[in-house]
Amino acid sequence: MSMSLTPARQVVPWMVGALCAVTAAPTLAAADCNVSATTLVFGAYDTLSNSESHISATLTVSCVIVIGTLATVPYTISLSPSLTSGTMSRQMAGPMGSRLGYNLYTSAARSTVWGNGSGGTQTVANSVTPGSYGISAVQNHSVDGSLPVRQIVRPGSYSDGIVVTVDY
């Protein structure tokens, strides 16, 4: 008997400033994977500071074998452009149309923008080893955010949305 397995996809809306983890049912695959995120909150922003604001959050991918056995489950995580700006030059929306620029990176070195592979951004690939049927395996990934210095913005709350996609 031959069986063809279709790669699956997990898409989760994620708010910068607030956690919003919603799971979507993936297509039939040998594994079922989910993603969740800790809250990413930059805190107070000082428009006169000469130091960038840095913060990190954790994306957690967990996979479980649902059909047969697999040694590992490879996956790729991509982050969408800013839902506020529509680009990889991410911006949070604030009061009276004010925008606060920020970006998300694949490491604390903040040298590689985490995105969808377009416009100079990169995705993050990894794998988990769930073991036998029904046993879940977890892999954590740090998302490092940065707010550039000396942005002229209005006081108030700022937020943006990012869609996290896990292809496996």
Side-chain angles (χ1 to χ4, degrees):
M1 172 173 118
S2 86
M3 181 167 65
S4 173
L5 298 177
T6 305
R9 175 175 272 203
Q10 169 79 35
V11 178
V12 175
W14 185 35
M15 292 295 291
V16 175
L19 171 64
C20 179
V22 179
T23 59
T27 59
L28 177 63
D32 183 17
C33 297
N34 291 296
V35 63
S36 62
T38 59
T39 304
L40 180 68
V41 178
F42 283 98
Y45 179 73
D46 182 354
T47 59
L48 300 177
S49 174
N50 288 323
S51 298
E52 285 190 355
S53 297
H54 302 289
I55 193 76
S56 65
T58 302
L59 291 179
T60 301
V61 175
S62 77
C63 297
V64 63
I65 301 300
V66 293
I67 298 174
T69 60
L70 280 178
T72 61
V73 178
Y75 61 86
T76 303
I77 306 171
S78 60
L79 303 182
S80 74
S82 166
L83 296 181
T84 297
S85 68
T87 68
M88 285 301 184
S89 296
R90 295 180 172 111
Q91 296 178 339
M92 291 181 272
M96 298 172 44
S98 192
R99 303 280 176 105
L100 182 60
Y102 74 100
N103 227 325
L104 303 173
Y105 298 89
T106 60
S107 72
R110 295 176 301 284
S111 58
T112 304
V113 174
W114 194 337
N116 58 11
S118 68
T121 68
Q122 291 187 0
T123 59
V124 171
N126 206 335
S127 64
V128 293
T129 306
S132 61
Y133 176 82
I135 306 279
S136 183
V138 179
Q139 184 69 45
N140 291 322
H141 298 274
S142 180
V143 181
D144 293 277
S146 180
L147 288 171
V149 299
R150 297 202 170 255
Q151 297 181 65
I152 307 302
V153 294
R154 296 182 182 276
S157 295
Y158 288 77
S159 65
D160 188 27
I162 299 293
V163 177
V164 178
T165 303
V166 177
D167 290 305
Y168 57 98

